[in-house]
Amino acid sequence: MQTDDEKITATNAAEKLRASPKKGCSCDSLAVGRLEPCTLVIFGASGDLATRKLIPALFKMFVAGSLPGSFAIVGCGRTEMSGEEFHNRLEGLLEKQKDFDGRHWRSFASCLHYHPLAYTSESFRKLAAYLRDLDKTAQTDGNYLFHLAVPPTLYGVIGELLGEAGLSHEKREGKGWTRIVVEKPFGHNLQTAVELDTTLHRSFEEHQIFRIDHYLAKETVQNVLMLRFANAIFEPLWNRNFIDYVGIIAAESLGIEQRAGYYEKAGVIRDMFQNHMLQLLSLTAMEPPARFEADRVRDEKVKVFQAIRPFSLKPDDNLVLGQYEDGNINGAAVPGYRGEEGVNPKSLTPTFAMMRLFVDNWRWKGVPFHLISGKRLQRKVTRIVIQFKDVPHTLFENVLAEHITANRLEMGIYPEEAIRLSFQTKNPGPRLCLKTMAMDFEYSRNYKGSGFDPYAKVLLDCILGDQMLFWRQDGVEASWGLLSPILDDCEQCRGRGERLHPYAAGSWGPELAADQVKKIIGHDH
Ligand code: BG6
């Protein structure tokens, strides 16, 4: 186990790296020598997450020189296959990606291993021996990062087996750190989230546990704090005196793809609100921490969750739940949710939600936060909107026929990564007319390169031991606690069917939520 001093040293190392650009280091990549050697063990290595997200991100990091000099990846799974078969399978998948640079594949593959594994004590003891041998050949110094790219039911099981096999201990033979990366969902509700945490804590300490939310690693999401706290002009206005409402939307045109088994149990509240949507809300609403450090930032986020008014299911405009029916996306007919493969034809799982929340603190009292997310909506749009209040007095009343449109700040996360501030100008000409114009900042126009892939950022931070962009357990519990009344209502109440409003695939969701959606999507509606 790490002593307190060692933990502080790990935190300091991450803080120093964050500050490194000041010392002349490039912002695009990290000098390889700074990263400690390590072995990344991916459980569920032949699964969707590992092959679609993790391995491509690791390959990009390798090409960009952002992996440690001594590094090994061990894919683990129940499927029996040789290292060569594993390589061939991954190469085949990567080749289909448009930016695949085949020249680097061979050297990347030389640090890629496969180790078949069963979820038993004996198999994990063998894994421990295998990793010890690999430490010597790959010179990875006994540092292990365990990534759980497996179904959530296995998170606790693997945590315990790692503990039993002695793989959760740090400083084995005087050296080596161990970290465990847990994907969402962290639990199915408050009780199971607490149980999972208790299980993991039997083998791991809090500083070893990394609870992922890939939204936090998106460049534009990270930028919310920079925009707010690295500029003096926004913060004085960022409160109930000037802001009318906040809108946060994550609309998707995709359906549930091949994930019926998972989605039927999760629904939109667990899939998007308990994690991504509440994180976006907390970044928008939090107070400035005294220092940009993982725990100081996470303290402030938790305070936001704790300040959110306990959810009331009445009146109706606090919550609209929906489920998509047959419709059209980009001109192609798509089936309704109940017609998707693997979905119960009478399913009551919501695929859309609009939620109105209030943060009851000095800054935000009375300002509604409208959170909207849904599958099979017209387009994929992810955006945070700060709608400012109307001017307090219209001195142009006598000469202007029109209402003066209030200022608006949009933080675009997808498809445009952008910041847009709209304001009023005089339309040139003899008559006094106003025109809404915008100051626009677009990442793609202003920064070269494709940015850092969110999964690459997440993996890099795990190697660095930096927990800034990961959930802390108190936040997880606060968010489950907040959503419990809704989940109970969705899952247990008799009138559940009546609460679920149908919407056509390719629309902007149920009619009942149309006004709110329109307010947030605005001119794009
Ligand atoms: C995942 C959800 O966490 O986020 C998916 O499980 C959803 O259902 C996805 O499609 C959206 O992520 P992104 O990065 O595409 O906006």
Side-chain angles (χ1 to χ4, degrees), residues 223-288:
N223 194 42
V224 174
L225 291 191
M226 307 306 145
L227 179 80
R228 290 190 56 198
F229 303 135
N231 294 292
I233 60 170
F234 297 113
E235 212 35 35
L237 309 178
W238 212 265
N239 58 52
R240 67 193 170 84
N241 296 326
F242 297 94
I243 294 177
D244 192 20
Y245 64 85
V246 175
I248 303 177
I249 189 163
E252 296 187 85
S253 56
L254 283 181
I256 51 157
E257 306 298 286
Q258 274 74 51
R259 300 198 302 158
Y262 154 76
Y263 202 88
E264 271 285 83
K265 290 198 205 101
V268 68
I269 308 274
R270 288 191 176 84
D271 189 46
M272 293 296 291
F273 282 74
Q274 185 270 329
N275 33 69
H276 312 322
M277 300 300 281
L278 283 179
Q279 280 292 347
L280 295 181
L281 184 151
S282 68
L283 288 168
T284 310
M286 68 189 249
E287 295 300 320

